[in-house]
Amino acid sequence: MIEPKIFTVGQINRYIRNLLENDFILSSLLVKGEISNFKAHSSGHLYFTLKDASGALSCVMFRQDAAGLPFEPENGMQVVVYGHVSLYEKTGQYQLYAEFLEPLGIGTLQVAFEQLKEKLAAEGLFDGDFKREIPKNPSCIAVITSPTGAAVRDILQIVKRRDPNVKVAIFPTLVQGEQAAVDIVHSLKLVNEWGKADVIILGRGGGSMEDLWCFNDENVARAVFASEIPVISAVGHETDFTITDFVADMRAPTPSAAAELATMPLSERREAFHRLELRLERDVSALLTSCRRRLDLLKSRPVMERPLERIYRTMMDVEETQQRLDKEMTNRLMQRAERWQYLTNRLEAASPLAVMSRGYVMAVTSSGKLLTSVKQAEVGDRVTLHLQDGKMETNIQEKEVFTHGEEESHL
């Protein structure tokens, strides 16, 4: 009896994977469907499910392929995916390994454009509050563009025609291709570090969306927003709009229009100076007329005709006031002196010393109590007698109390 061959799980999964990868159809195919369960892993890999009304298919896109996508896939997006079907041996799950995908019914670049536009708008990079005013009379204009393109020639001709005094500094920059975005960011940094330009013109001539794509790069948009020097975006023709147009301080439909917006013709400047001169003359004349009228008014006043008379009159008023104050002060002092003398006399009259000077004595017991009656002391008590010029002590040997005019002696 032949023993049946027993396979391991890994052998079965490996066999099925080889079948799938060697299948003529499954090894290279296009699949359309709706993205769901989308997840961008920190490793850079993308995981999602592609579904339609009849089923669902697990998909994975590795980091090296995902890095080349110009847009970010989203749930609900209808896409066409190019890749191959294989099996992940560890879980036994077959899935579509996506190598490229693009939106269904709309261009890939257009989706990327709308996504970045929505993102930067939400961050406020398009807000008018951040737009800086373009100087009306710049002395130097920095132009970031290709040195061989038609745009730079148009800018130079228009600036020279409108104002030959304006200096133009050309910063040769790639404005098309894979390295263009990096080169534009570098040029913007150079212009700001140089610091001698009053305004920057960033642009190029028209082209397809692919040709102008470097002006839809997020790093370029953020570099324009961060520029300390005002930026005029002049990309393409009038119907072309890029992310740079929304972020810049001003958008010009063409590079030629940008040169006109950045300069003022000498004729207009002369006319403006002439208007300013006329206005200045008018204002100075009005000011002089007003000053003359005020001066005439001041000259007509009596004080200006006889200035010393008013000074003498004021001096007389001051002298009279001083005399009146001196007299009033003397009277007040005399009244205060009389009052002080009156109070002094009354105080002296009420003073115990004045009474004592007439022969009266003040008697105080040994406990310090003032004697006002014979009844307050007894025979044998020690008493201090206060006289005008001193005091002396004595003992009571006898006392006599007067009652109703009669005298009673108590030993």
Side-chain angles (χ1 to χ4, degrees):
M1 182 176 179
I2 301 176
E3 293 291 333
K5 185 176 181 178
I6 300 176
F7 296 93
T8 64
V9 173
Q11 290 174 327
I12 297 298
N13 284 344
R14 190 174 302 110
Y15 179 78
I16 295 175
R17 189 190 74 177
N18 290 332
L19 289 177
L20 293 175
E21 292 182 349
N22 291 310
D23 185 271
F24 176 75
I25 295 177
L26 299 180
S27 62
S28 178
L29 76 167
L30 294 170
V31 184
K32 69 176 181 179
E34 178 184 330
I35 293 178
S36 64
N37 300 323
F38 176 80
K39 179 181 179 181
H41 197 269
S42 59
S43 63
H45 306 323
L46 305 182
Y47 300 93
F48 58 95
T49 300
L50 200 63
K51 67 177 184 178
D52 59 17
S54 59
L57 177 63
S58 296
C59 303
V60 60
M61 177 176 272
F62 292 130
R63 178 177 56 191
Q64 59 270 25
D65 296 319
L69 290 178
F71 70 99
E72 183 177 348
E74 297 176 348
N75 288 325
M77 183 179 290
Q78 296 287 337
V79 295
V80 174
V81 182
Y82 171 77
H84 66 277
V85 176
S86 184
L87 182 133
Y88 185 44
E89 294 184 21
K90 187 174 182 178
T91 61
Q93 179 183 10
Y94 84 93
Q95 53 192 0
L96 176 63
Y97 289 83
E99 299 174 24
F100 182 76
L101 61 86
E102 65 178 9
L104 188 64
I106 184 173
T108 302
L109 295 182
Q110 187 63 36
V111 172
F113 175 84
E114 295 298 335
Q115 286 182 342
L116 181 58
K117 180 181 176 182
E118 182 179 354
K119 175 183 177 181
L120 297 182
E123 293 182 22
L125 269 67
F126 303 162
D127 291 354
D129 294 340
F130 298 114
K131 305 294 184 184
R132 286 156 296 189
E133 185 177 357
I134 305 300
K136 295 181 179 179
N137 298 303
S139 60
C140 180
I141 298 174
V143 179
I144 299 177
T145 189
S146 171
T148 60
V152 69
R153 294 194 299 271
D154 293 342
I155 292 173
L156 289 173
Q157 291 174 1
I158 292 174
V159 172
K160 183 177 180 181
R161 171 174 54 83
R162 289 170 66 86
D163 191 348
N165 297 321
V166 176
K167 298 178 182 179
V168 179
I170 307 297
F171 287 77
T173 306
L174 294 174
V175 290
Q176 185 174 335
E178 294 182 359
Q179 297 299 318
V182 176
D183 207 24
I184 292 172
V185 172
H186 178 67
S187 294
L188 284 167
K189 182 179 179 181
L190 284 180
V191 176
N192 279 270
E193 290 177 349
W194 184 50
K196 296 182 179 180
D198 300 306
V199 63
I200 299 172
I201 295 178
L202 170 63
R204 54 156 288 167
S208 65
M209 193 170 193
E210 289 79 6
D211 294 337
L212 304 179
W213 190 248
C214 59
F215 296 97
N216 293 320
D217 185 87
E218 181 175 354
N219 293 327
V220 171
R222 296 191 182 279
V224 171
F225 183 80
S227 174
E228 297 180 0
I229 302 172
V231 178
I232 299 177
S233 176
V235 182
H237 299 303
E238 294 187 13
T239 57
D240 297 324
F241 276 88
T242 64
I243 297 297
T244 302
D245 293 330
F246 296 108
V247 181
D249 300 291
M250 178 180 288
R251 187 246 177 190
T254 63
S256 299
E260 293 183 356
L261 291 171
T263 56
M264 178 184 292
L266 281 179
S267 57
E268 292 184 12
R269 187 179 298 183
R270 292 192 185 99
E271 184 179 350
F273 285 153
H274 181 63
R275 290 196 300 269
L276 182 61
E277 182 181 10
L278 292 177
R279 180 179 176 183
L280 184 61
E281 290 178 355
R282 185 175 63 252
D283 293 345
V284 171
S285 177
L287 180 61
L288 289 175
T289 301
S290 176
C291 290
R292 289 192 187 98
R293 289 177 180 174
R294 182 168 179 79
L295 180 59
D296 292 339
L297 179 62
L298 292 174
K299 289 170 60 178
S300 63
R301 292 184 177 181
V303 67
M304 298 302 295
E305 295 179 358
R306 297 181 297 276
L308 293 179
E309 179 179 340
R310 181 163 185 176
I311 294 175
Y312 294 150
R313 187 179 303 133
T314 303
M315 291 176 62
M316 292 175 61
D317 293 340
V318 171
E319 290 177 358
E320 291 178 359
T321 302
Q322 185 175 0
Q323 292 176 1
R324 187 170 61 253
L325 289 175
D326 291 343
K327 184 178 180 180
E328 183 70 20
M329 184 63 69
T330 301
N331 293 335
R332 293 283 182 90
L333 290 175
M334 292 179 63
Q335 292 177 0
R336 294 293 187 275
E338 292 176 357
R339 177 68 175 170
W340 180 80
Q341 188 61 46
Y342 170 74
L343 294 175
T344 300
N345 295 337
R346 290 193 58 185
L347 183 61
E348 290 180 352
S351 173
L353 295 177
V355 176
M356 291 179 181
S357 65
R358 296 197 296 269
Y360 292 93
V361 177
M362 182 174 62
V364 179
T365 66
S366 58
S367 62
K369 183 177 181 181
L370 179 66
L371 293 177
T372 59
S373 172
V374 174
K375 297 179 180 180
Q376 295 176 330
E378 298 296 335
V379 174
D381 289 347
R382 192 168 185 81
V383 177
T384 301
L385 301 179
H386 292 269
L387 288 81
Q388 179 185 7
D389 55 354
K391 63 180 180 178
M392 56 184 179
E393 295 183 359
T394 183
N395 292 327
I396 299 176
Q397 296 181 353
E398 65 177 74
K399 68 177 182 177
E400 184 177 352
V401 180
F402 299 101
T403 304
H404 301 295
E406 298 180 357
E407 295 183 0
E408 182 178 354
S409 176
H410 299 275
L411 298 178

